[in-house]
Amino acid sequence: MTTRSDCLAMDAADALAGLRDQFALPEGVIYLDGNSLGARPKAALARAQEVIAREWGDDLIRSWNQAGWFDLPSRLGDKLAPLIGAAKNETVVTDTTSINLFKALAAALHIQAGSPSSAGRKRIVTERANFPTDVYIAQGLSSWLARGVEIRLVDSPEDLPAAIDAQTAVVMLTHVNYRTGYMHDMKALTARAHSCGALTVWDLAHSAGAVPVDLNADKADFAVGCTYKYLNGGPGAPAFIWVAARHQAGFQQPLSGWWGHAAPFAMQAEFRPIDGIRRALCGTQPIVSLAMVECGLDLFAQTSMDAIRAKSLALTDLFIRLVEDRCAKHPLSLVTPREHARRGSQVSFAHPHGYAVMQALIGRGVIGDYREPAIMRFGLTPLYTRFIDVWDAMEILADILDNKKYDVAAPRDAVT
Amino acid sequence: MTTRSDCLAMDAADALAGLRDQFALPEGVIYLDGNSLGARPKAALARAQEVIAREWGDDLIRSWNQAGWFDLPSRLGDKLAPLIGAAKNETVVTDTTSINLFKALAAALHIQAGSPSSAGRKRIVTERANFPTDVYIAQGLSSWLARGVEIRLVDSPEDLPAAIDAQTAVVMLTHVNYRTGYMHDMKALTARAHSCGALTVWDLAHSAGAVPVDLNADKADFAVGCTYKYLNGGPGAPAFIWVAARHQAGFQQPLSGWWGHAAPFAMQAEFRPIDGIRRALCGTQPIVSLAMVECGLDLFAQTSMDAIRAKSLALTDLFIRLVEDRCAKHPLSLVTPREHARRGSQVSFAHPHGYAVMQALIGRGVIGDYREPAIMRFGLTPLYTRFIDVWDAMEILADILDNKKYDVAAPRDAVT
């Protein structure tokens, strides 16, 4: 039997333990929602102050050159690259995940439409359980395209290989499911897509900084993701888009704004895309929010995704085991895969009163979140989550369940 | 003859003079580039610190509800509304100007395609001299649409009324030209468009906070604009989109992300747009950059657009007169209209060595900017520009020109 002392010993032996000091975490809170909004790197405040007071306030318009504002999307993209198996000049940090997905999906469909062997393909294959905005963006794009596109919503990950066929233009998947924590086999599904002549678009919202990702080794085609979850870039910080080098010359997307122009300051009347990944840019970026992304990325340079993954699996294994042992008599069911290879960096449990139980947990300082239907999500973020946090969260959960300390009639927040 | 003392007297009598103290302006700089990047409101630093340290750092995910992050696009839109003649619930602050233009243009074309009298119209009328990204976005959108769209680039503002005809689906214009400072007659051109059955999309990038705008009185249909120029929202701060109330029920746009869904947290697989202006939203917004927009808007609540306009015309009149008097022997030509009704809040002069002269001005602390071809732009921003600044800038310009203190061989910055 694991004890609280064992958890303290695990923290004492944890090579990543020191990184927690580089985050500003409030007292009395066990924060298990880094899969929704990452905690604040201490450095982010000073960085924002520098951008606001000196770069904006003192240097004003000159900062576009002097402070490198204009290059920031590419510079941050290159800094992010090692975490997702990207090469230099394949990634930019810009816009939102939804908008970047629109670009990637449009570009993939455009490449397929121009390919003699794929021009007739009209199907996007994705999952019904995908994060909704991904499906909405595919719906929005397809209804506006010159040629009709059909979206096939697959009901189960096991059905995906068979659903990808010679009619498939693009396979669009979120690598780690936001609700269940299920992680797809990127390499196998990409190979399956390619064997059918399809291209892949991967959403890494719950993968980047959470699990090892190797886009180039897995031969992925396009990817997008967000920086405000496991990458700790700040609330709503700009997202990223990755385009494999081999696709960049053919990359065309409808949001052809001036930042993607070959000569943005020549003020020409005809759009001519710049060579390389910057053709994925569109308009002027929110510099203060963008600059803070770097503070999150800098923390990853102090460790490795392998070390993060080892701790993530240890944390999620521990949480599953402790909760299942201690709360065995309650109607909790594990939603997240037990198999390491299929698990992201979260643990989701379903409970008939999941919303109310989660509200009670939050009231006791254990911040996870709730997702329809009936699912309590616990994000375990190795940069700042301790083994003792896992223990204490489990104890509070057990107390709430054992003593029915939750209010099934509690009103719901607008944003849950 | 106006003297430097006269300018000091004008400042002493200026009812807006006190507002300058609410900006953090560097010593030794005459900042005449607020038309590109507005100066920093002092309040912006404290606001960012609050968002970063307390709302993000301490309250974490709870701030989406508690701190009102999720409502921020609408709340700021309503605060901006009086400056552009909008009603409540017609404006949101979100994404970039380019992306908002894409949404507005797509929505306008969609409405026209569904109208029995307009369904066959396939033409967007705009200006060749429009800010390039506006034309690029129209090109990008039209090349991806199910039905072909033709873009007509009109060469001169005087040719616009005749270019708008029964084939015109949408008239897309920037109200105040970024390069020349020419201001269109929004009311007359909108009336002309409507009389032909066309809809209007107005880009207010150089209008919002710079000149009085009355979208509803002028019966405009759609508008977009940026918050980082005359509105002083911060570098790359999110832009805005306005949709006239009468068009909101029919407003559909391809960037149908989850923030525009009727029930974003119900996690449904089918996109169903929310009622009202929030259907113009797409994905998660950069909260720190977004929150600072409020600090710029709050300054406008201390005065009126009429007072700002009166000072703007006084500043631009003075600058034109002083430069033309003092630099008469140099090959400077005024590009900005002399007629008040056609002038924005900037003065542009062409000079054969415009780039080199502007670099010399910047070296002397007079920060304007340069736009191809050969145009020096001087933004005169009534909230923080003084009459004495106009005098001193003119004196330095005269010295540079009289004594050829500029280097025609100076290398150009990447971003000019």
Side-chain angles (χ1 to χ4, degrees), chain A residues 1 66 79 103 153 174 180 183 187 219 223 238 249 296 317 324 337 353 358 364 379 385 398 408:
Chain A
M1 276 287 288
Q66 286 175 17
K79 204 162 208 173
K103 299 170 190 169
L153 298 177
T174 298
T180 64
M183 180 165 69
K187 191 183 197 76
K219 299 189 167 41
D317 276 346
E324 290 190 332
H353 298 300
M358 181 51 72
R364 296 276 292 274
T385 304
V408 297

Side-chain angles (χ1 to χ4, degrees), chain A residues 24-26 29 31 33 36-41 44-45 48-62 64-65 69-70 95-96 98-99 102-103 105-107 109-110 128 131-133 135-141 143-147 153 178-179 228 232-238 252-259 261 263-272 282-290 292 362 365 367-369 371-372 413-416, chain B residues 24-26 29 31 33 36-41 44-45 48-62 64-65 69-70 95-96 98-99 102-103 105-107 109-110 128 131-133 135-141 143-147 153 178-179 228 232-238 252-259 261 263-272 282-290 292 362 365 367-369 371-372 413-416:
Chain A
L25 290 160
V29 163
Y31 192 59
D33 209 9
S36 187
L37 173 63
R40 174 168 83 79
L45 184 59
Q49 286 167 334
E50 184 189 25
V51 174
I52 296 166
R54 187 175 61 73
E55 298 181 5
W56 175 20
D58 291 344
D59 298 340
L60 289 155
I61 192 71
R62 295 168 290 195
W64 284 109
N65 286 306
W69 287 352
F70 192 65
D95 293 334
T96 68
S98 297
I99 286 170
F102 186 89
K103 299 170 190 169
L105 206 48
L109 290 169
H110 180 79
R128 191 178 301 281
F131 188 70
T133 208
V135 179
Y136 302 158
I137 287 290
Q139 289 168 354
L141 176 67
S143 67
W144 290 75
L145 281 181
R147 54 201 208 96
L153 298 177
Y178 75 103
R179 184 157 45 189
Y228 56 76
N232 309 304
Q252 286 190 38
Q253 52 100 358
L255 296 165
S256 51
W258 69 314
W259 276 44
H261 195 279
F265 296 93
M267 305 291 169
Q268 298 163 342
E270 196 72 33
F271 184 73
R272 187 163 52 87
C282 178
T284 306
Q285 292 302 297
I287 294 299
V288 179
S289 285
L290 184 61
M292 285 192 295
I362 292 170
I367 302 181
D369 65 17
R371 285 291 177 258
E372 294 289 352
D413 279 331
V415 184
T416 55
Chain B
L25 290 159
V29 163
Y31 191 59
D33 209 8
S36 187
L37 173 63
R40 173 169 86 77
L45 183 60
Q49 286 167 336
E50 184 190 23
V51 174
I52 297 166
R54 187 175 63 75
E55 297 182 4
W56 175 20
D58 292 345
D59 298 340
L60 290 154
I61 192 71
R62 295 169 289 195
W64 283 108
N65 285 307
W69 287 352
F70 192 65
D95 294 333
T96 68
S98 297
I99 285 169
F102 185 88
K103 300 171 190 167
L105 206 48
L109 290 168
H110 180 78
R128 191 179 302 282
F131 189 70
T133 207
V135 179
Y136 303 159
I137 287 291
Q139 291 168 352
L141 176 66
S143 68
W144 289 74
L145 281 182
R147 58 203 204 95
L153 299 177
Y178 74 104
R179 183 156 47 190
Y228 56 76
N232 309 302
Q252 285 191 37
Q253 52 100 359
L255 296 164
S256 51
W258 69 314
W259 277 44
H261 195 279
F265 296 93
M267 306 289 172
Q268 299 163 342
E270 197 72 32
F271 184 74
R272 185 164 52 88
C282 179
T284 306
Q285 292 303 297
I287 295 298
V288 179
S289 284
L290 184 61
M292 285 192 295
I362 292 169
I367 303 182
D369 66 17
R371 284 292 176 260
E372 295 288 355
D413 279 330
V415 184
T416 55

